[in-house]
């Protein structure tokens, strides 16, 4: 419970920090008024009009997002390690009980499986039971709740069934091993199949920024020279744009990068990690990379 409250507090603080950053940079940055006319209604909106301030905004938001995503990614990584180790851990426990090993001896073997995360939890659970502080089941359930891992909670119930209720441990552990092994195989295959799509999102986003900048570079000068010719000898009004707002275009493109990076990160997180918040790590990376690409293109194309 305390872990969840601490995480919620960090999320709230990071969200407030992002909003404050957005408001402060918008206030101090140069702005341009853009007018939209809908029928008889006219709306004028101030828009940030400086790529330096926009780039700073993107980098700051990306950095602040890391305050949220790094702890969540670490928890996700721990859960992944735990899920990966569970089939092997159950197999070691099964073979150890069949061989007549004590629980302490079995936990020593379990700690050698994978990165030893499940073995470490199991060792502390056994020590807590020996000291009378807690039972193995309660301790593992507590750890499972702390990291939000339902499979680890299932392991606690399985061990309680095997160790305390005199059930045939071989049959229970064999069934548990097959179940967790099938789940792990499915998860591995799903993640492997999704990795190319994650890379595809990165490629599409980079191409979007590059193509938008190149098209605008060739299109805006043409718009500046555009004029309406006379029709049937009747002079038509001339459209003349003497100053092309390349600064505004690059800034709007940068703002769209922030929005699209957040959307892409949420999609990646939901599909790949099961939580949109974890995907904000990708949103931060996309935001920084695409902002750098946009800024470099602005310097090389428009200001060369």
């Amino acid at each position: 419970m305390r872990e969840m409250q601490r995480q919620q507090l960090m999320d709230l603080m990071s969200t407030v920090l992002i909003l404050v950053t957005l408001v402060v940079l918008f206030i101090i940055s140069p702005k341009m008024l853009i007018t939209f006319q809908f029928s008889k209604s006219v709306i004028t909106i101030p828009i940030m009009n400086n790529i330096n301030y926009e780039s700073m905004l993107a980098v700051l938001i990306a950095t602040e997002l890391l305050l949220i995503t790094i702890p969540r990614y670490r928890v996700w990584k721990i859960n992944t390690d735990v899920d990966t180790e569970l089939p092997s851990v159950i197999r070691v426990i099964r073979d150890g009980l069949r061989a007549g090993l004590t629980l302490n001896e079995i936990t020593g073997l379990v700690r050698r499986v994978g990165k030893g995360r499940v073995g470490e939890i199991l060792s502390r659970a056994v020590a807590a039971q020996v000291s009378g502080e807690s039972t193995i089941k309660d301790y593992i359930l507590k750890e499972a709740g702390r990291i939000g891992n339902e499979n680890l909670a299932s392991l606690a119930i399985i061990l309680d069934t095997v160790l305390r209720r005199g059930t045939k441990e071989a049959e229970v552990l064999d069934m548990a091993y097959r179940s967790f092994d099938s789940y792990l195989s499915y998860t591995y295959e799903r993640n492997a199949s999704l990795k190319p799509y994650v890379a595809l999102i990165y490629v599409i986003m980079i191409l979007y920024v590059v193509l938008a900048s190149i098209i605008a570079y060739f299109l805006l000068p043409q718009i500046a020279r555009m004029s309406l010719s006379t029709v049937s000898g009747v002079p038509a009004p001339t459209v003349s744009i003497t100053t092309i707002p390349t600064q505004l275009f690059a800034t709007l493109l940068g703002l769209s990068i922030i929005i699209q990076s957040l959307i892409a990160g949420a999609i990646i997180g939901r599909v790949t990690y099961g939580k949109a918040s974890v995907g904000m790590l990708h949103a931060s990376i996309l935001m920084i990379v695409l902002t750098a690409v946009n800024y470099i293109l602005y310097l090389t194309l428009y200001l060369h």
Side-chain angles (χ1 to χ4, degrees), residues 234-256:
V234 180
T238 301
V239 179
S240 179
I241 304 177
T242 57
T243 303
I244 300 300
T246 54
Q247 181 85 231
L248 177 62
F249 175 82
T251 303
L252 290 176
L253 182 59
L255 293 175
S256 72

Side-chain angles (χ1 to χ4, degrees), residues 57-73:
L57 174 64
V59 172
L60 287 176
I61 290 178
T63 304
E64 291 159 1
L65 277 176
L66 293 177
L67 298 176
I68 303 175
T69 56
I70 289 179
R72 289 187 179 275
Y73 180 79

Side-chain angles (χ1 to χ4, degrees), residues 206-250:
I206 293 175
L207 286 177
Y208 158 73
V209 176
V210 173
L211 292 177
S213 297
I214 293 176
I215 291 173
Y217 171 71
F218 290 106
L219 182 61
L220 290 179
Q222 298 300 323
I223 295 176
R225 293 189 295 268
M226 182 179 66
S227 63
L228 296 179
S229 61
T230 59
V231 179
S232 300
V234 180
T238 301
V239 179
S240 179
I241 304 177
T242 57
T243 303
I244 300 300
T246 54
Q247 181 85 231
L248 177 62
F249 175 82

Side-chain angles (χ1 to χ4, degrees), residues 196-212 260 264 286 290:
Y197 295 100
V198 174
L200 182 62
I201 291 177
Y202 276 80
V203 173
I204 290 175
M205 294 285 285
I206 293 175
L207 286 177
Y208 158 73
V209 176
V210 173
L211 292 177
Q260 293 186 53
L286 279 170
L290 296 179

Side-chain angles (χ1 to χ4, degrees), residues 253-267:
L253 182 59
L255 293 175
S256 72
I257 285 172
I258 296 176
I259 297 172
Q260 293 186 53
S261 296
L262 292 173
I263 296 174
I267 294 173

